[in-house]
Amino acid sequence: MKDIVIIGAGVIGCSIARELSKYNLDICVVDKNNDVAEGISKGNSGIVHAGYNEKENTLKAKLNLEGNYLFDGLAKRLDFPFKRNGALILAFSEDEMKRVHELKANGDKLGVPALEVLNKDEVLSLEKNISSKVVGALYAKSSAIVNPYEMTIALGENASENGVEFKLGYKVIDIKKEDRGFKLIFENKETINTNIVINAAGLYGAFINNLVNEEKYEINPLKGEYCLFDKVAGGICKRTLFQVPSKLSKGVLVTPTVDGNLLLGPNARLDENATTSREGIDEIIENGSKTIEDLPLNRILTAFSGIRPKTDIDDFIIKSSKDNPNFINVIGIDSPGLTSAPAIGKYVASLVSDIVNLTEKDNFKENRKGILRFSELNIEEKNEVIKENSSYGKMVCKCELVTEGEIIDSIKRPLGATTVDGVKRRTRAMMGGCQGIGCMLTIANILSRELGISISDIKKNNESSVVVGYKED
């Protein structure tokens, strides 16, 4: 009998798991995917929003502001990339400038720090590549950027180091109410009994809730498509460049990433199919060209999409079920969900404390050390690392300068990579110009060797995506 089962190993589930791992609890995280950050969290723009656009007296407003504040300390303790680069919300007409002033007033009312309205000359002095048609902007200095899946992995690893069990590849197909708590039934016929369920299942949050609770929800999947440019294009802007937001989304943005690339997107379409389309990519390029007229389209590396779990309720749903108080829903976590994640972890812990008595561990490990980035070392440091471990002297990904030592580390760590994409998200191997053509097979061979399984069983991501050969049904 577990104390708590968290359904979902995305940034929200892992944030909750890490926060609850501070206490003497028997916790398990389950996810239908074979790795953390395989769902919504990997298709995310990585923006830590300032919070000026949220509505007063909502959880989104409260947790956005609190979460943003927590990032500096969390990134330092868990050793994941994070940068406060600031954001400009650009106006291209006098009507849009009125909206900029409204956003400033709203942000001031909510307590968002360091907001400033800029005129055209002030905007262009900060970002010279912005279109000369710009009229002015709101400057949100507390806005930041983060790598969403590296953050999720860091949270998950730290939770694991603090005793949280992870069952990945476990798809919940039913939940039964028991005399004491709940029984979770998985697709593989296994079961887990638990006192408390925390539903952080992302796009499947409504399905999980509706299995056992009388109050029903519906998720409306909102797809956003992106273009990722290479690092040559990464210097076009220093800050995140928004346009004045619409009611449906915060609009198409142009932003540097923490890894040095340039990101363009997203659009917003009600669609549960996580594919990209020519029409969608053309749409974000057209809208992005309003911000920067001469986007270097020849530097696009790849396109991808992410899906946000919107509900008809214009706020996060984070509460115990009316008919099952030990069932805590954390659903409808669309934007600013990533920003709010650290605060959501604390908020859910407070809900858990209303159900059980929480006692703090004496041996909680607050810090986590990330994977060594060999390319960031100076020559003396590189020689010393190679002297200690020769695998760091073998370059595997020549585009991103990732060594065999880093790949082995990504496999051997807590919640280590078991797929090629798992290695990619942890090390950036295959994220350069060749997109894995030059190193995918080598990485698959390393996975095969380190995991002790046949290379024909190595997957790119899911069960059907074998790297070598094919897999019959």
Side-chain angles (χ1 to χ4, degrees):
M1 182 81 168
K2 294 289 183 182
D3 293 321
I4 298 173
V5 170
I6 300 167
I7 304 174
V11 70
I12 303 302
C14 288
S15 291
I16 295 167
R18 195 260 178 181
E19 187 64 30
L20 289 174
S21 72
K22 297 175 180 178
Y23 304 99
N24 291 300
L25 295 165
D26 186 3
I27 303 168
C28 181
V29 176
V30 301
D31 196 290
K32 68 184 182 66
N33 294 303
N34 292 321
D35 200 359
V36 301
E38 269 284 3
I40 297 168
S41 301
K42 72 178 181 182
N44 188 292
S45 59
I47 307 303
V48 179
H49 293 287
Y52 52 81
N53 195 40
E54 304 308 327
K55 294 180 180 178
E56 193 175 14
N57 300 319
T58 62
L59 279 177
K60 284 188 175 184
K62 168 184 165 64
L63 298 176
N64 184 332
L65 197 62
E66 293 177 4
N68 181 297
Y69 176 79
L70 292 169
F71 260 86
D72 296 270
L74 190 66
K76 185 176 181 180
R77 287 190 291 274
L78 300 187
D79 195 22
F80 59 82
F82 170 74
K83 183 178 181 180
R84 286 213 182 268
N85 65 321
L88 293 170
I89 302 83
L90 304 170
F92 293 93
S93 69
E94 291 303 328
D95 283 343
E96 288 186 350
M97 274 305 293
K98 292 178 183 177
R99 181 68 178 133
V100 161
H101 285 282
E102 290 172 359
L103 291 171
K104 167 71 161 59
N106 188 65
D108 288 343
K109 183 170 59 176
L110 294 174
V112 177
L115 294 175
E116 183 181 356
V117 175
L118 305 180
N119 62 33
K120 176 176 182 172
D121 290 341
E122 290 169 327
V123 171
L124 295 176
S125 71
L126 293 177
E127 296 286 351
K128 64 180 181 180
N129 291 316
I130 289 175
S131 168
S132 60
K133 296 177 183 177
V134 71
V135 175
L138 177 64
Y139 188 13
K141 297 178 184 178
S142 65
S143 182
I145 49 177
V146 69
N147 185 310
Y149 42 86
E150 285 195 48
M151 173 186 173
T152 304
I153 290 165
L155 288 161
E157 282 187 5
N158 191 235
S160 176
E161 289 174 325
N162 282 294
V164 174
E165 180 184 8
F166 281 76
K167 285 185 173 290
L168 302 175
Y170 278 67
K171 183 178 180 179
V172 177
I173 60 169
D174 203 2
I175 302 175
K176 301 294 185 184
K177 184 76 173 70
E178 304 269 284
D179 290 337
R180 291 183 60 236
F182 306 89
K183 177 189 282 187
L184 277 64
I185 303 168
F186 300 102
E187 191 174 49
N188 63 7
K189 308 303 182 185
E190 291 186 34
T191 63
I192 294 179
N193 286 79
T194 180
N195 181 32
I196 298 170
V197 170
I198 298 174
N199 173 20
L203 291 170
Y204 302 93
F207 168 78
I208 295 296
N209 170 80
N210 297 350
L211 289 173
V212 71
N213 295 316
E214 292 180 9
E215 185 177 14
K216 307 300 183 186
Y217 295 106
E218 182 179 355
I219 296 290
N220 303 307
L222 189 68
K223 180 169 76 174
E225 294 163 275
Y226 296 87
C227 288
L228 183 69
F229 296 69
D230 65 17
K231 293 179 180 179
V232 175
I236 283 178
C237 60
K238 296 178 181 178
R239 295 159 189 84
T240 300
L241 308 179
F242 291 97
Q243 297 169 13
V244 171
S246 69
K247 291 183 179 180
L248 193 59
S249 79
K250 293 180 173 67
V252 171
L253 59 86
V254 182
T255 186
T257 70
V258 288
D259 299 303
N261 298 82
L262 187 76
L263 186 66
L264 171 69
N267 53 2
R269 299 182 175 193
L270 288 172
D271 188 354
E272 62 183 358
N273 186 354
T275 58
T276 56
S277 65
R278 179 73 262 177
E279 181 185 9
I281 297 303
D282 286 344
E283 177 188 353
I284 62 173
I285 289 172
E286 181 181 354
N287 289 338
S289 297
K290 183 178 177 181
T291 297
I292 294 179
E293 293 174 352
D294 296 318
L295 286 168
L297 302 182
N298 62 327
R299 309 308 308 192
I300 293 176
L301 280 176
T302 188
F304 66 93
S305 69
I307 302 180
R308 290 156 276 178
K310 291 192 76 69
T311 67
D312 292 334
I313 300 167
D314 193 21
D315 200 4
F316 298 151
I317 300 168
I318 309 176
K319 61 181 181 178
S320 291
S321 169
K322 292 178 181 177
D323 45 308
N324 291 305
N326 284 25
F327 190 107
I328 299 173
N329 274 313
V330 190
I331 60 178
I333 312 298
D334 59 341
S335 182
L338 176 72
T339 308
S340 304
I344 288 174
K346 293 182 179 295
Y347 189 84
V348 172
S350 72
L351 296 181
V352 172
S353 72
D354 293 333
I355 301 170
V356 296
N357 182 38
L358 297 183
T359 58
E360 292 186 1
K361 290 177 179 175
D362 295 329
N363 60 345
F364 174 70
K365 299 174 184 175
E366 187 175 33
N367 299 314
R368 166 259 188 193
K369 183 63 180 172
I371 292 173
L372 180 146
R373 302 297 184 193
F374 186 80
S375 64
E376 297 175 2
L377 304 179
N378 62 39
I379 190 65
E380 290 82 9
E381 292 168 332
K382 287 177 179 175
N383 286 332
E384 188 63 32
V385 168
I386 294 170
K387 184 178 179 181
E388 294 178 6
N389 186 339
S390 62
S391 65
Y392 285 93
K394 301 173 184 177
M395 193 63 65
V396 174
C397 175
K398 296 178 176 63
C399 297
E400 290 292 320
L401 304 178
V402 179
T403 65
E404 183 175 347
E406 292 161 86
I407 292 169
I408 294 171
D409 188 9
S410 77
I411 298 167
K412 296 297 187 182
R413 299 173 71 81
L415 301 181
T418 59
T419 65
V420 168
D421 277 2
V423 171
K424 177 171 75 172
R425 284 190 292 272
R426 287 164 174 81
T427 67
R428 288 194 55 78
M430 302 186 297
M431 289 192 179
C434 82
Q435 289 289 285
I437 292 173
C439 61
M440 182 185 289
L441 185 58
T442 303
I443 292 169
N445 273 308
I446 296 171
L447 278 162
S448 171
R449 183 191 72 210
E450 296 299 323
L451 297 176
I453 60 178
S454 169
I455 192 170
S456 63
D457 291 325
I458 298 299
K459 312 296 191 300
K460 183 179 184 294
N461 46 42
N462 58 41
E463 285 299 316
S464 63
S465 62
V466 291
V467 174
V468 178
Y470 69 97
K471 190 174 182 67
E472 295 184 17
D473 293 334

